[in-house]
């Protein structure tokens, strides 16, 4: 999926993203550099009604968030909100 590849690539370029996990699913799982950044990203997206899941309580997923892959327009909006 080109949209997913594009989002994953964009995330790896962000200072607040320390890791993007490989996945065949319809979401991207990524790790933020610290808990404060994870909370900032999460709150920012929730405020804009962008669906995101905090995965930090899962084993070995500290400071991780999961974004579902939507339309190109939705991903563009997500990038604009986080830029």
């Amino acid at each position: 999926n080109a949209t997913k590849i594009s989002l994953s690539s964009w995330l790896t370029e962000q200072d607040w993203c320390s890791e993007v996990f490989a996945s065949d699913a319809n979401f991207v799982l990524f790790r933020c550099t610290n808990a404060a950044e994870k909370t900032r990203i999460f709150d920012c997206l929730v405020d804009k009604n962008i669906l995101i899941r905090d995965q930090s309580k899962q084993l070995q997923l500290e400071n991780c968030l999961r974004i579902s892959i939507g339309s190109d327009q939705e991903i563009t909006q997500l990038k604009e909100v986080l830029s």
Side-chain angles (χ1 to χ4, degrees):
N1 182 319
T3 303
K4 181 178 173 181
I5 293 167
S6 172
L7 176 59
S8 295
S9 178
W10 181 83
L11 284 167
T12 61
E13 297 170 2
Q14 306 310 302
D15 291 341
W16 43 261
C17 180
S18 63
E19 181 178 7
V20 177
F21 295 83
S23 167
D24 291 329
N26 68 336
F27 60 81
V28 173
L29 179 69
F30 65 96
R31 187 182 312 275
C32 296
T33 52
N34 57 54
E37 283 294 334
K38 182 212 45 140
T39 300
R40 181 185 70 81
I41 298 295
F42 182 86
D43 290 346
C44 186
L45 293 175
V46 167
D47 287 347
K48 298 293 185 182
N49 295 315
I50 296 174
L51 181 62
I52 186 158
R53 303 238 184 251
D54 187 344
Q55 300 295 301
S56 295
K57 292 183 178 168
Q58 303 297 326
L59 188 63
Q60 298 181 342
L61 295 182
E62 183 179 356
N63 300 326
C64 288
L65 297 172
R66 187 181 93 187
I67 299 174
S68 294
I69 300 300
S71 67
D72 288 342
Q73 181 181 354
E74 289 169 326
I75 299 304
T76 298
Q77 179 190 9
L78 176 135
K79 291 176 182 178
E80 288 172 358
V81 167
L82 295 179
S83 291

